């Protein structure tokens, strides 16, 4: 029985081959194409995510203060005198006189008679700082510290492009630090400590690339210290109790 099965296997294989050839011949004779295997779909590659670029940190541009009407240096000083209780100053020698303004107490002028320095510290000035001081375009140093000045710091002081020293500390100034002060590109010293200033420290102060000294403690400032001010060598940040941004 085993031998019969073994002997029949070649015959079955031959018949199967003959059947396949006959079927193919019939298809060809009838003009039919042999079935084409269905191609497998090519896997679609997953799209590669494009990394989102991290924007570079750029300095915050300081707003431009509204310019005040053009005044002579003498006119601007007269306005300051009247606005800050000039008759009650500790020393007001020659103020409002006909003498050259360079002879007025605390005023220094250049060869052209333009005011370059105004030093009226510890002189019992009171009232508000007039915006008209911004007309003193040749001013290099403004020292009004140690007085009783109140009100806001005029944003117009940001127009004093030649200013190197600005000392307004130890007064009763209030309001926010004007962002316009960030336009004072030549400023080396900014002292605003011991006032009643409030709000956040403007990021625009980080534009002051020449700044060597910054004192803003003993106020009512909130928020954080702009990281761009870390490089100021002489500062009082440790007295603020505020973190860096």
């Amino acid at each position: 029985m085993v031998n019969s099965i073994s002997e029949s296997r070649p015959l079955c294989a031959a018949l199967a081959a003959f059947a396949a050839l006959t079927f193919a011949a019939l298809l060809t004779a009838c003009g039919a194409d042999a079935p084409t295997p269905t191609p497998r779909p090519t896997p679609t590659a997953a799209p590669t995510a494009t990394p989102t670029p991290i924007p570079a940190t750029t300095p915050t541009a300081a707003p431009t203060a509204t310019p005040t009407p053009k005044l002579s240096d003498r006119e601007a000083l007269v306005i300051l005198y009247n606005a800050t209780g000039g008759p009650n100053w500790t020393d007001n020698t020659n103020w409002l006189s006909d003498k050259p303004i360079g002879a007025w107490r605390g005023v220094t002028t250049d060869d052209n008679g333009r005011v370059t320095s105004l030093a009226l510290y510890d002189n019992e000035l009171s009232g508000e700082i007039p915006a008209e001081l911004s007309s003193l375009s040749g001013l290099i140093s403004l020292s009004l510290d140690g007085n009783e000045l109140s009100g806001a710091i005029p944003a117009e002081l940001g127009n004093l492009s030649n200013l190197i020293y600005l000392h307004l500390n130890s007064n009763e100034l209030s309001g926010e630090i004007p962002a316009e002060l960030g336009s004072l590109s030549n400023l080396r010293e900014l002292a605003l400590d011991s006032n009643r200033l409030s709000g956040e420290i403007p990021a625009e102060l980080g534009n002051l690339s020449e700044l060597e000294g910054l004192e803003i403690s003993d106020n009512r400032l909130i928020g954080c210290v702009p990281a761009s001010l870390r490089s100021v060598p002489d500062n009082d940040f440790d007295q603020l109790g505020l973190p860096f941004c």
Side-chain angles (χ1 to χ4, degrees), residues 26-68:
L26 288 173
L27 288 176
T28 302
C30 295
D33 295 330
T36 303
T38 303
R40 294 183 180 179
T42 303
T44 303
T48 303
T50 303
T52 303
I54 300 175
T57 302
T58 56
T60 303
T64 302
T66 303
T68 54

mmCIF file of all heavy atoms in Angstrom, residues 26-68:
data_model
loop_
_atom_site.group_PDB
_atom_site.id
_atom_site.type_symbol
_atom_site.label_atom_id
_atom_site.label_comp_id
_atom_site.label_asym_id
_atom_site.label_seq_id
_atom_site.Cartn_x
_atom_site.Cartn_y
_atom_site.Cartn_z
ATOM 1 N N LEU A 26 -5.326 28.592 -22.370
ATOM 2 C CA LEU A 26 -6.707 29.019 -22.598
ATOM 3 C C LEU A 26 -6.856 30.517 -22.358
ATOM 4 O O LEU A 26 -7.545 31.225 -23.092
ATOM 5 C CB LEU A 26 -7.660 28.251 -21.680
ATOM 6 C CG LEU A 26 -7.881 26.762 -22.044
ATOM 7 C CD1 LEU A 26 -8.698 26.073 -20.960
ATOM 8 C CD2 LEU A 26 -8.600 26.646 -23.399
ATOM 9 N N LEU A 27 -6.214 31.016 -21.353
ATOM 10 C CA LEU A 27 -6.291 32.454 -21.070
ATOM 11 C C LEU A 27 -5.688 33.269 -22.188
ATOM 12 O O LEU A 27 -6.208 34.293 -22.612
ATOM 13 C CB LEU A 27 -5.574 32.774 -19.759
ATOM 14 C CG LEU A 27 -6.273 32.325 -18.464
ATOM 15 C CD1 LEU A 27 -5.398 32.622 -17.251
ATOM 16 C CD2 LEU A 27 -7.623 33.005 -18.324
ATOM 17 N N THR A 28 -4.563 32.765 -22.717
ATOM 18 C CA THR A 28 -3.899 33.497 -23.805
ATOM 19 C C THR A 28 -4.771 33.483 -25.045
ATOM 20 O O THR A 28 -4.894 34.486 -25.758
ATOM 21 C CB THR A 28 -2.537 32.858 -24.118
ATOM 22 O OG1 THR A 28 -1.751 32.882 -22.918
ATOM 23 C CG2 THR A 28 -1.806 33.608 -25.212
ATOM 24 N N ALA A 29 -5.385 32.352 -25.313
ATOM 25 C CA ALA A 29 -6.229 32.226 -26.511
ATOM 26 C C ALA A 29 -7.450 33.131 -26.413
ATOM 27 O O ALA A 29 -7.946 33.651 -27.402
ATOM 28 C CB ALA A 29 -6.664 30.764 -26.681
ATOM 29 N N CYS A 30 -7.950 33.358 -25.236
ATOM 30 C CA CYS A 30 -9.133 34.197 -25.057
ATOM 31 C C CYS A 30 -8.780 35.669 -24.927
ATOM 32 O O CYS A 30 -9.645 36.516 -24.719
ATOM 33 C CB CYS A 30 -9.919 33.757 -23.819
ATOM 34 S SG CYS A 30 -10.616 32.092 -23.978
ATOM 35 N N GLY A 31 -7.520 36.001 -25.018
ATOM 36 C CA GLY A 31 -7.083 37.390 -24.937
ATOM 37 C C GLY A 31 -7.095 37.943 -23.535
ATOM 38 O O GLY A 31 -7.083 39.148 -23.339
ATOM 39 N N ALA A 32 -7.143 37.128 -22.528
ATOM 40 C CA ALA A 32 -7.144 37.610 -21.135
ATOM 41 C C ALA A 32 -5.734 37.656 -20.598
ATOM 42 O O ALA A 32 -4.930 36.795 -20.928
ATOM 43 C CB ALA A 32 -8.012 36.686 -20.271
ATOM 44 N N ASP A 33 -5.481 38.641 -19.858
ATOM 45 C CA ASP A 33 -4.154 38.753 -19.219
ATOM 46 C C ASP A 33 -4.117 37.914 -17.964
ATOM 47 O O ASP A 33 -5.107 37.762 -17.258
ATOM 48 C CB ASP A 33 -3.863 40.211 -18.836
ATOM 49 C CG ASP A 33 -3.755 41.074 -20.093
ATOM 50 O OD1 ASP A 33 -3.351 40.552 -21.135
ATOM 51 O OD2 ASP A 33 -4.078 42.296 -19.971
ATOM 52 N N ALA A 34 -2.959 37.423 -17.756
ATOM 53 C CA ALA A 34 -2.773 36.670 -16.513
ATOM 54 C C ALA A 34 -2.909 37.619 -15.333
ATOM 55 O O ALA A 34 -2.531 38.781 -15.422
ATOM 56 C CB ALA A 34 -1.402 36.001 -16.512
ATOM 57 N N PRO A 35 -3.481 37.175 -14.260
ATOM 58 C CA PRO A 35 -3.676 38.050 -13.099
ATOM 59 C C PRO A 35 -2.354 38.583 -12.574
ATOM 60 O O PRO A 35 -1.385 37.847 -12.474
ATOM 61 C CB PRO A 35 -4.370 37.150 -12.070
ATOM 62 C CG PRO A 35 -4.025 35.750 -12.471
ATOM 63 C CD PRO A 35 -3.932 35.776 -13.972
ATOM 64 N N THR A 36 -2.365 39.900 -12.374
ATOM 65 C CA THR A 36 -1.146 40.546 -11.849
ATOM 66 C C THR A 36 -1.264 40.666 -10.339
ATOM 67 O O THR A 36 -2.292 41.128 -9.824
ATOM 68 C CB THR A 36 -0.995 41.953 -12.454
ATOM 69 O OG1 THR A 36 -0.983 41.816 -13.876
ATOM 70 C CG2 THR A 36 0.274 42.627 -11.981
ATOM 71 N N PRO A 37 -0.233 40.265 -9.642
ATOM 72 C CA PRO A 37 -0.291 40.370 -8.174
ATOM 73 C C PRO A 37 -0.494 41.820 -7.758
ATOM 74 O O PRO A 37 0.083 42.728 -8.355
ATOM 75 C CB PRO A 37 1.072 39.837 -7.706
ATOM 76 C CG PRO A 37 1.602 39.045 -8.878
ATOM 77 C CD PRO A 37 1.031 39.655 -10.104
ATOM 78 N N THR A 38 -1.356 42.030 -6.822
ATOM 79 C CA THR A 38 -1.596 43.388 -6.308
ATOM 80 C C THR A 38 -0.380 43.861 -5.531
ATOM 81 O O THR A 38 0.051 43.195 -4.584
ATOM 82 C CB THR A 38 -2.820 43.396 -5.368
ATOM 83 O OG1 THR A 38 -3.948 42.878 -6.092
ATOM 84 C CG2 THR A 38 -3.106 44.805 -4.859
ATOM 85 N N PRO A 39 0.207 45.000 -5.971
ATOM 86 C CA PRO A 39 1.426 45.462 -5.265
ATOM 87 C C PRO A 39 1.080 45.931 -3.853
ATOM 88 O O PRO A 39 0.012 46.486 -3.605
ATOM 89 C CB PRO A 39 1.908 46.642 -6.117
ATOM 90 C CG PRO A 39 0.674 47.123 -6.828
ATOM 91 C CD PRO A 39 -0.161 45.897 -7.075
ATOM 92 N N ARG A 40 1.986 45.704 -2.992
ATOM 93 C CA ARG A 40 1.807 46.147 -1.611
ATOM 94 C C ARG A 40 2.045 47.665 -1.536
ATOM 95 O O ARG A 40 2.959 48.181 -2.173
ATOM 96 C CB ARG A 40 2.780 45.441 -0.673
ATOM 97 C CG ARG A 40 2.529 43.959 -0.544
ATOM 98 C CD ARG A 40 3.493 43.366 0.449
ATOM 99 N NE ARG A 40 3.286 41.943 0.610
ATOM 100 C CZ ARG A 40 4.007 41.163 1.417
ATOM 101 N NH1 ARG A 40 4.979 41.718 2.137
ATOM 102 N NH2 ARG A 40 3.749 39.877 1.518
ATOM 103 N N PRO A 41 1.202 48.357 -0.827
ATOM 104 C CA PRO A 41 1.420 49.811 -0.712
ATOM 105 C C PRO A 41 2.732 50.129 -0.001
ATOM 106 O O PRO A 41 3.119 49.443 0.949
ATOM 107 C CB PRO A 41 0.218 50.281 0.121
ATOM 108 C CG PRO A 41 -0.229 49.067 0.876
ATOM 109 C CD PRO A 41 0.059 47.892 -0.032
ATOM 110 N N THR A 42 3.412 51.150 -0.535
ATOM 111 C CA THR A 42 4.668 51.565 0.089
ATOM 112 C C THR A 42 4.362 52.338 1.366
ATOM 113 O O THR A 42 3.569 53.282 1.342
ATOM 114 C CB THR A 42 5.464 52.487 -0.856
ATOM 115 O OG1 THR A 42 5.668 51.781 -2.078
ATOM 116 C CG2 THR A 42 6.790 52.906 -0.239
ATOM 117 N N PRO A 43 4.951 51.961 2.465
ATOM 118 C CA PRO A 43 4.671 52.672 3.726
ATOM 119 C C PRO A 43 5.023 54.155 3.602
ATOM 120 O O PRO A 43 6.066 54.507 3.055
ATOM 121 C CB PRO A 43 5.570 51.965 4.755
ATOM 122 C CG PRO A 43 5.892 50.638 4.126
ATOM 123 C CD PRO A 43 5.889 50.855 2.651
ATOM 124 N N THR A 44 4.122 55.023 4.053
ATOM 125 C CA THR A 44 4.368 56.469 4.020
ATOM 126 C C THR A 44 5.229 56.864 5.200
ATOM 127 O O THR A 44 4.898 56.555 6.349
ATOM 128 C CB THR A 44 3.035 57.236 4.081
ATOM 129 O OG1 THR A 44 2.199 56.808 3.005
ATOM 130 C CG2 THR A 44 3.273 58.736 3.987
ATOM 131 N N ALA A 45 6.324 57.551 4.878
ATOM 132 C CA ALA A 45 7.233 57.957 5.950
ATOM 133 C C ALA A 45 6.570 59.026 6.811
ATOM 134 O O ALA A 45 5.904 59.927 6.304
ATOM 135 C CB ALA A 45 8.537 58.505 5.360
ATOM 136 N N ALA A 46 6.736 58.884 8.105
ATOM 137 C CA ALA A 46 6.164 59.874 9.025
ATOM 138 C C ALA A 46 6.861 61.208 8.814
ATOM 139 O O ALA A 46 8.078 61.265 8.667
ATOM 140 C CB ALA A 46 6.346 59.413 10.470
ATOM 141 N N PRO A 47 6.090 62.309 8.733
ATOM 142 C CA PRO A 47 6.731 63.613 8.516
ATOM 143 C C PRO A 47 7.633 63.982 9.681
ATOM 144 O O PRO A 47 7.338 63.723 10.841
ATOM 145 C CB PRO A 47 5.533 64.573 8.438
ATOM 146 C CG PRO A 47 4.429 63.871 9.165
ATOM 147 C CD PRO A 47 4.644 62.406 8.908
ATOM 148 N N THR A 48 8.765 64.600 9.335
ATOM 149 C CA THR A 48 9.733 65.022 10.347
ATOM 150 C C THR A 48 9.347 66.404 10.854
ATOM 151 O O THR A 48 9.176 67.332 10.060
ATOM 152 C CB THR A 48 11.154 65.072 9.759
ATOM 153 O OG1 THR A 48 11.469 63.782 9.229
ATOM 154 C CG2 THR A 48 12.171 65.464 10.832
ATOM 155 N N ALA A 49 9.203 66.529 12.160
ATOM 156 C CA ALA A 49 8.814 67.818 12.736
ATOM 157 C C ALA A 49 9.948 68.813 12.599
ATOM 158 O O ALA A 49 11.108 68.498 12.864
ATOM 159 C CB ALA A 49 8.444 67.641 14.215
ATOM 160 N N THR A 50 9.617 70.023 12.146
ATOM 161 C CA THR A 50 10.616 71.087 12.023
ATOM 162 C C THR A 50 10.768 71.781 13.369
ATOM 163 O O THR A 50 9.784 72.254 13.936
ATOM 164 C CB THR A 50 10.173 72.126 10.971
ATOM 165 O OG1 THR A 50 9.964 71.450 9.728
ATOM 166 C CG2 THR A 50 11.228 73.219 10.807
ATOM 167 N N PRO A 51 11.979 71.828 13.913
ATOM 168 C CA PRO A 51 12.163 72.466 15.221
ATOM 169 C C PRO A 51 11.748 73.928 15.171
ATOM 170 O O PRO A 51 12.031 74.636 14.212
ATOM 171 C CB PRO A 51 13.678 72.324 15.491
ATOM 172 C CG PRO A 51 14.136 71.259 14.545
ATOM 173 C CD PRO A 51 13.228 71.310 13.361
ATOM 174 N N THR A 52 11.049 74.368 16.202
ATOM 175 C CA THR A 52 10.654 75.777 16.280
ATOM 176 C C THR A 52 11.837 76.603 16.731
ATOM 177 O O THR A 52 12.402 76.351 17.799
ATOM 178 C CB THR A 52 9.501 75.963 17.287
ATOM 179 O OG1 THR A 52 8.405 75.130 16.878
ATOM 180 C CG2 THR A 52 9.068 77.429 17.337
ATOM 181 N N PRO A 53 12.267 77.597 15.898
ATOM 182 C CA PRO A 53 13.427 78.389 16.301
ATOM 183 C C PRO A 53 13.122 79.225 17.532
ATOM 184 O O PRO A 53 12.020 79.740 17.703
ATOM 185 C CB PRO A 53 13.674 79.286 15.075
ATOM 186 C CG PRO A 53 12.348 79.343 14.385
ATOM 187 C CD PRO A 53 11.703 78.006 14.614
ATOM 188 N N ILE A 54 14.117 79.349 18.412
ATOM 189 C CA ILE A 54 13.964 80.151 19.622
ATOM 190 C C ILE A 54 14.367 81.577 19.300
ATOM 191 O O ILE A 54 15.492 81.823 18.865
ATOM 192 C CB ILE A 54 14.854 79.599 20.757
ATOM 193 C CG1 ILE A 54 14.446 78.139 21.074
ATOM 194 C CG2 ILE A 54 14.757 80.476 21.992
ATOM 195 C CD1 ILE A 54 15.340 77.490 22.081
ATOM 196 N N PRO A 55 13.449 82.522 19.434
ATOM 197 C CA PRO A 55 13.793 83.896 19.072
ATOM 198 C C PRO A 55 14.880 84.461 19.962
ATOM 199 O O PRO A 55 14.926 84.197 21.161
ATOM 200 C CB PRO A 55 12.457 84.645 19.276
ATOM 201 C CG PRO A 55 11.696 83.801 20.249
ATOM 202 C CD PRO A 55 12.104 82.386 19.970
ATOM 203 N N ALA A 56 15.777 85.216 19.351
ATOM 204 C CA ALA A 56 16.853 85.833 20.111
ATOM 205 C C ALA A 56 16.304 87.009 20.919
ATOM 206 O O ALA A 56 15.381 87.696 20.499
ATOM 207 C CB ALA A 56 17.953 86.326 19.166
ATOM 208 N N THR A 57 16.871 87.195 22.114
ATOM 209 C CA THR A 57 16.437 88.299 22.956
ATOM 210 C C THR A 57 17.002 89.610 22.426
ATOM 211 O O THR A 57 18.202 89.732 22.222
ATOM 212 C CB THR A 57 16.917 88.101 24.405
ATOM 213 O OG1 THR A 57 16.403 86.855 24.881
ATOM 214 C CG2 THR A 57 16.436 89.223 25.296
ATOM 215 N N THR A 58 16.151 90.555 22.186
ATOM 216 C CA THR A 58 16.598 91.846 21.683
ATOM 217 C C THR A 58 16.296 92.921 22.713
ATOM 218 O O THR A 58 15.330 92.807 23.467
ATOM 219 C CB THR A 58 15.885 92.198 20.360
ATOM 220 O OG1 THR A 58 14.463 92.151 20.581
ATOM 221 C CG2 THR A 58 16.250 91.219 19.267
ATOM 222 N N PRO A 59 17.128 93.944 22.766
ATOM 223 C CA PRO A 59 16.880 95.013 23.731
ATOM 224 C C PRO A 59 15.529 95.681 23.493
ATOM 225 O O PRO A 59 15.079 95.819 22.364
ATOM 226 C CB PRO A 59 18.033 95.995 23.466
ATOM 227 C CG PRO A 59 19.076 95.189 22.753
ATOM 228 C CD PRO A 59 18.330 94.150 21.975
ATOM 229 N N THR A 60 14.912 96.080 24.592
ATOM 230 C CA THR A 60 13.639 96.780 24.481
ATOM 231 C C THR A 60 13.894 98.244 24.163
ATOM 232 O O THR A 60 14.591 98.941 24.900
ATOM 233 C CB THR A 60 12.857 96.679 25.807
ATOM 234 O OG1 THR A 60 12.677 95.290 26.136
ATOM 235 C CG2 THR A 60 11.501 97.355 25.687
ATOM 236 N N ALA A 61 13.358 98.704 23.052
ATOM 237 C CA ALA A 61 13.580 100.088 22.653
ATOM 238 C C ALA A 61 12.856 101.028 23.603
ATOM 239 O O ALA A 61 11.706 100.815 23.956
ATOM 240 C CB ALA A 61 13.088 100.307 21.222
ATOM 241 N N ALA A 62 13.557 102.064 24.036
ATOM 242 C CA ALA A 62 12.946 103.041 24.926
ATOM 243 C C ALA A 62 12.034 103.961 24.135
ATOM 244 O O ALA A 62 12.376 104.383 23.033
ATOM 245 C CB ALA A 62 14.033 103.859 25.622
ATOM 246 N N PRO A 63 10.863 104.272 24.678
ATOM 247 C CA PRO A 63 9.970 105.210 23.985
ATOM 248 C C PRO A 63 10.592 106.601 23.934
ATOM 249 O O PRO A 63 11.382 106.974 24.797
ATOM 250 C CB PRO A 63 8.702 105.189 24.832
ATOM 251 C CG PRO A 63 9.164 104.739 26.185
ATOM 252 C CD PRO A 63 10.302 103.793 25.948
ATOM 253 N N THR A 64 10.259 107.346 22.918
ATOM 254 C CA THR A 64 10.781 108.700 22.767
ATOM 255 C C THR A 64 9.882 109.683 23.487
ATOM 256 O O THR A 64 8.666 109.696 23.283
ATOM 257 C CB THR A 64 10.869 109.079 21.281
ATOM 258 O OG1 THR A 64 11.695 108.123 20.612
ATOM 259 C CG2 THR A 64 11.457 110.468 21.112
ATOM 260 N N ALA A 65 10.480 110.489 24.347
ATOM 261 C CA ALA A 65 9.698 111.471 25.091
ATOM 262 C C ALA A 65 9.242 112.590 24.165
ATOM 263 O O ALA A 65 9.931 112.955 23.218
ATOM 264 C CB ALA A 65 10.540 112.050 26.230
ATOM 265 N N THR A 66 8.080 113.125 24.455
ATOM 266 C CA THR A 66 7.560 114.246 23.672
ATOM 267 C C THR A 66 8.433 115.475 23.913
ATOM 268 O O THR A 66 8.648 115.866 25.068
ATOM 269 C CB THR A 66 6.111 114.564 24.079
ATOM 270 O OG1 THR A 66 5.315 113.393 23.901
ATOM 271 C CG2 THR A 66 5.546 115.699 23.246
ATOM 272 N N PRO A 67 8.972 116.062 22.863
ATOM 273 C CA PRO A 67 9.835 117.230 23.072
ATOM 274 C C PRO A 67 9.054 118.425 23.610
ATOM 275 O O PRO A 67 7.893 118.633 23.256
ATOM 276 C CB PRO A 67 10.393 117.510 21.669
ATOM 277 C CG PRO A 67 9.405 116.902 20.732
ATOM 278 C CD PRO A 67 8.858 115.714 21.440
ATOM 279 N N THR A 68 9.691 119.191 24.484
ATOM 280 C CA THR A 68 9.069 120.387 25.018
ATOM 281 C C THR A 68 9.359 121.559 24.087
ATOM 282 O O THR A 68 10.287 121.506 23.278
ATOM 283 C CB THR A 68 9.630 120.698 26.417
ATOM 284 O OG1 THR A 68 11.066 120.773 26.334
ATOM 285 C CG2 THR A 68 9.272 119.605 27.406
#
